[in-house]
Amino acid sequence: MSENKSNWPLWEVFVRSRQGLGHKHVGSLHAADAEMAIGNARDVYTRRQEGVSIWVVPAESITASSPSDSEALFDPANDKVYRHPTFFVLPDEVNHM
Amino acid sequence: MIETQEHLRKEFDAYVAADKKIEPKDWMPDAYRKTLIRQISQHAHSEIVGMLPEGQWITRAPSLQRKAILLAKVQDEAGHGLYLYSAAETLGVDRADLVDDLLSGKAKYSSIFNYPSLTWADIGAIGWLVDGAAIMNQVPLCRCSYGPYARAMTRVCKEESFHQRQGYSIMMQLMKGTDAQKEMAQDALNRWWWPALMMFGPSDSESMHSSQNMKWNIKRFSNDELRQRMVDMTVPQAECIGLKMPDSDLKWNEDKGGHDFGEIDWTEFYDVIAGNGICNKERLEDRNKAHDDGEWVRDAAVAYSEKRNANK
């Protein structure tokens, strides 16, 4: 059955929940083209005013980091605690900096 | 760095035991992937087939408002099916193959939807009891170890409580009506109560997938625990609007702080799963017809998109 199936491509959907916030990934869907993907995303992911703006991105266009690289990518941050302000102890007299 | 399967497996077990989430690209045991694909796709199929018994009443709803509400509810079910298919696909399966398995009868869906919706009161009973049981099952799934499934369930649960309330409100209104309307509500409860209790699956001693799924934090509570909660929750709700529970063995048990209730007819349960329920055949035929009738639309959409891409 699979060979003559019209397989619509997969799109990842990002929704801005309200003005001032960034778009956030909400899930994916299938659609024949970008326009239909926006229409479907509206019906599937924003039936209750969950958004004011939608991005759809072909899933195959996304390059993701691999979990096996997570050490190389994210671990070095651990030994650079001085990047956080709390690393530096202030005298009691100085309350805010 | 070469990691053995055994090492990965141990890491995975420890990770899940610490109640952390697994994401699509993380390593996972084949059996974990397989059981999730089975469960999530069955769940998706149930949402899709679940539109049929209620869809039949959209054109016959007793008022314009009830019609609009039912339409919104059925649309939600379609949405839930889509969230879930999308979660299943993150595990590396193709949606078209999942749909094929539903249409060919290879895949299962919740057997509750193989019961007919005979009267308007059935729409009340379905929302109240079937969606009620579904919520009971689904709330713990919001904390399931597989991230995309947990996130889909969070969305579903948020929307589902409207479904249960609209069902109960139909029953409430009928119980304020004429004798015939009250009888209709009681009759719907009588027919849906036992199948609703069967939705929690076989008794703990019989359940095939339970213990491993508990270890993997896919399942949080046993079938019997959730069923007990369903009984304890529903009894006062029925009482409150003057409905009588169709179970002569039902009584409060002070010691266990819950109700004792009658034996479920497991022969019926397995019979419906085996395909011999009242509507199994009709449901699959309707799904297949909808799929076949929509084929030209899917083909046209692809042709249109190809043509536009070619002209770019």
Side-chain angles (χ1 to χ4, degrees):
Chain A
M1 239 201 283
S2 293
E3 54 282 0
N4 62 355
K5 226 159 14 199
S6 23
N7 245 342
W8 291 351
L10 187 67
W11 302 76
E12 297 298 333
V13 181
F14 301 80
V15 169
R16 184 201 296 286
S17 56
R18 60 188 161 84
Q19 216 59 26
L21 296 178
H23 287 74
K24 194 175 161 230
H25 183 242
V26 291
S28 62
L29 50 77
H30 288 267
D33 56 34
E35 201 184 331
M36 184 194 274
I38 293 271
N40 288 357
R42 186 257 158 239
D43 286 344
V44 178
Y45 293 106
T46 63
R47 286 193 304 284
R48 287 175 175 77
Q49 295 170 294
E50 288 94 337
V52 294
S53 163
I54 297 170
W55 288 350
V56 290
V57 181
E60 57 173 25
S61 304
I62 292 180
T63 308
S65 65
S66 156
S68 58
D69 293 338
S70 63
E71 215 169 304
L73 286 172
F74 308 116
D75 259 14
N78 267 339
D79 54 18
K80 295 185 177 63
V81 280
Y82 43 80
R83 281 188 168 137
H84 298 283
T86 46
F87 177 76
F88 304 93
V89 182
L90 294 177
D92 288 346
E93 293 76 22
V94 182
N95 283 330
H96 302 290
M97 184 180 282
Chain B
M1 190 170 68
I2 300 158
E3 283 179 309
T4 62
Q5 290 289 85
E6 173 111 11
H7 179 72
L8 287 167
R9 169 81 197 217
K10 270 189 189 146
E11 261 186 6
F12 175 89
D13 286 345
Y15 198 74
V16 169
D19 218 356
K20 290 180 181 164
K21 297 280 186 233
I22 303 299
E23 293 296 341
K25 294 181 92 185
D26 294 335
W27 185 89
M28 61 187 88
D30 285 344
Y32 177 83
R33 186 185 299 276
K34 231 174 110 184
T35 201
L36 276 171
I37 292 173
R38 183 189 56 81
Q39 181 171 336
I40 301 173
S41 61
Q42 272 183 20
H43 196 159
H45 299 328
S46 303
E47 301 282 355
I48 299 299
V49 178
M51 290 192 281
L52 296 171
E54 291 180 297
Q56 291 174 338
W57 279 91
I58 291 174
T59 54
R60 294 179 282 168
S63 71
L64 187 57
Q65 191 187 39
R66 288 287 185 199
K67 186 194 293 242
I69 292 171
L70 185 57
L71 198 57
K73 186 204 183 259
V74 173
Q75 191 193 13
D76 274 354
E77 306 299 359
H80 297 175
L82 295 177
Y83 304 156
L84 287 160
Y85 282 130
S86 137
E89 279 181 301
T90 63
L91 292 157
V93 281
D94 192 294
R95 179 163 331 189
D97 293 332
L98 298 178
V99 172
D100 275 354
D101 286 348
L102 169 65
L103 296 176
S104 70
K106 188 180 157 204
K108 296 258 182 284
Y109 54 86
S110 179
S111 44
I112 191 82
F113 301 117
N114 292 318
Y115 290 84
S117 49
L118 302 179
T119 71
W120 173 249
D122 287 37
I123 300 307
I126 291 173
W128 174 35
L129 303 172
V130 176
D131 289 77
I135 293 171
M136 202 67 91
N137 265 327
Q138 287 167 355
V139 167
L141 285 173
C142 299
R143 294 188 293 125
C144 146
S145 61
Y146 188 58
Y149 192 25
R151 291 191 287 275
M153 289 323 300
T154 305
R155 301 181 69 87
V156 168
C157 286
K158 256 191 216 162
E159 300 178 355
E160 202 90 52
S161 62
F162 135 63
H163 299 176
Q164 192 187 12
R165 283 187 188 206
Q166 68 87 34
Y168 190 62
S169 120
I170 291 173
M171 296 304 252
M172 232 161 65
Q173 198 166 356
L174 286 171
M175 291 306 287
K176 287 182 201 152
T178 63
D179 285 350
Q181 286 168 326
K182 286 180 193 166
E183 264 169 47
M184 198 201 262
Q186 183 64 54
D187 168 62
L189 170 61
N190 295 352
R191 281 181 292 107
W192 287 94
W193 174 242
W194 292 103
L197 286 187
M198 293 176 198
M199 285 175 69
F200 296 94
S203 188
D204 293 348
S205 50
E206 307 282 322
S207 182
M208 268 163 58
H209 306 288
S210 275
S211 66
Q212 182 61 69
N213 286 359
M214 289 268 205
K215 274 186 208 133
W216 277 334
N217 283 344
I218 296 173
K219 206 175 163 67
R220 299 274 179 171
F221 302 99
S222 78
N223 296 354
D224 287 335
E225 272 176 281
L226 292 169
R227 190 166 12 244
Q228 179 69 50
R229 278 192 215 176
M230 174 76 184
V231 174
D232 294 337
M233 180 194 77
T234 310
V235 170
Q237 292 170 353
E239 214 163 83
C240 174
I241 54 175
L243 285 165
K244 195 178 166 300
M245 298 301 287
D247 179 356
S248 53
D249 295 324
L250 186 80
K251 59 170 188 297
W252 178 255
N253 179 333
E254 192 61 50
D255 292 339
K256 77 171 182 186
H259 293 84
D260 289 332
F261 53 97
E263 185 64 29
I264 286 170
D265 183 356
W266 294 113
T267 321
E268 176 181 322
F269 174 75
Y270 288 111
D271 209 32
V272 179
I273 289 185
N276 305 319
I278 301 172
C279 301
N280 294 56
K281 199 165 157 271
E282 182 187 332
R283 299 294 185 235
L284 265 196
E285 279 170 5
D286 286 351
R287 272 321 306 157
N288 274 288
K289 182 172 185 310
H291 190 76
D292 294 344
D293 288 352
E295 190 173 5
W296 71 270
V297 181
R298 295 191 297 277
D299 291 345
V302 170
Y304 178 64
S305 131
E306 279 167 358
K307 193 172 156 194
R308 280 216 305 193
N309 284 337
N311 289 345
K312 259 178 198 164

